[in-house]
Amino acid sequence: MNSRDFLIVDDDITFTSLLTRALGRRNFSCEAANTSADALQLLEKFYFARAIVDLKLGADSGLQFIRELKLRQPDVVIVMLTGYSSISTAVEAVKLGATNYLCKPADANEILAAFDTEDSPFTAEIDYSPISVDRLEWEHIQRVLQENAGNISATARALGMHRRTLQRKLQKRPVKH
């Protein structure tokens, strides 16, 4: 089986293309996929040292893909990227085997730094600033949604809100800290 430095799995075709080129200019070999199904096919052909996985892969979950990736290639080092960050998904990603968790937008330098375990945010000194109420609400919704396996109706019932209200909240970008 051939080996590659990076597997990039993201449903954003433009981002995937730009990141592949940026890493290629740094002499890394990369393979990219825009769906988890395409990525699984790449796992049959190549062994990867590192993987960059988006949290939302269209209708699929990057968390589910991490589980499958670790089953097939246990030594791969994974960084999860997302535009919809929450504490619960970060914790779940790390439990499943991700080394780090980055919020988009992230450039190639930030992504490469995330693979460096010595500069891991888990060992760095953390600058504490209180989280806003809107951010707390976002994270609570994400946690309850995850507890209900992504079921919008069950999550809305658990939160005591109308399903459409929940859907509108989920379509918005997460609030900054």
Side-chain angles (χ1 to χ4, degrees):
M1 188 172 350
N2 294 327
S3 66
R4 296 286 189 265
D5 293 315
F6 283 96
L7 169 63
I8 303 167
V9 187
D10 196 310
D11 60 344
D12 183 340
I13 296 168
T14 304
F15 176 77
T16 306
S17 175
L18 290 172
L19 185 56
T20 301
R21 278 186 286 179
L23 293 173
R25 283 193 299 268
R26 291 169 173 83
N27 296 320
F28 291 110
S29 57
C30 302
E31 294 293 329
N34 299 112
T35 67
S36 57
D38 291 344
L40 290 174
Q41 288 178 349
L42 289 173
L43 293 177
E44 299 296 323
K45 297 178 188 175
F46 301 102
Y47 171 80
F48 295 98
R50 300 177 194 119
I52 302 162
V53 180
D54 190 19
L55 176 64
K56 294 190 185 251
L57 300 171
D60 297 330
S61 167
L63 293 172
Q64 292 295 85
F65 179 74
I66 286 178
R67 181 177 286 123
E68 188 65 31
L69 176 58
K70 282 303 228 181
L71 286 173
R72 293 178 185 218
Q73 296 187 10
D75 296 332
V76 69
V77 179
I78 303 168
V79 167
M80 175 155 270
L81 289 178
T82 184
Y84 303 93
S85 64
S86 73
I87 292 172
S88 64
T89 55
V91 169
E92 185 67 19
V94 171
K95 281 182 182 178
L96 291 171
T99 302
N100 216 324
Y101 184 93
L102 291 178
C103 297
K104 286 182 179 179
D107 64 22
N109 291 330
E110 292 170 317
I111 293 168
L112 288 171
F115 282 101
D116 184 9
T117 56
E118 289 185 22
D119 293 333
S120 170
F122 302 113
T123 59
E125 186 177 317
I126 297 172
D127 179 31
Y128 176 75
S129 59
I131 297 175
S132 72
V133 173
D134 290 336
R135 180 63 185 203
L136 286 171
E137 177 190 41
W138 171 260
E139 290 184 7
H140 179 66
I141 289 171
Q142 292 299 315
R143 183 178 52 78
V144 175
L145 183 63
Q146 188 175 4
E147 289 171 358
N148 287 290
N151 184 316
I152 300 291
S153 296
T155 302
R157 279 191 300 276
L159 293 170
M161 69 172 60
H162 194 277
R163 184 180 50 79
R164 286 191 180 179
T165 301
L166 177 60
Q167 286 175 319
R168 280 193 299 273
K169 287 179 180 280
L170 289 171
Q171 288 175 346
K172 294 180 183 177
R173 282 243 186 250
V175 181
K176 296 282 185 206
H177 295 281

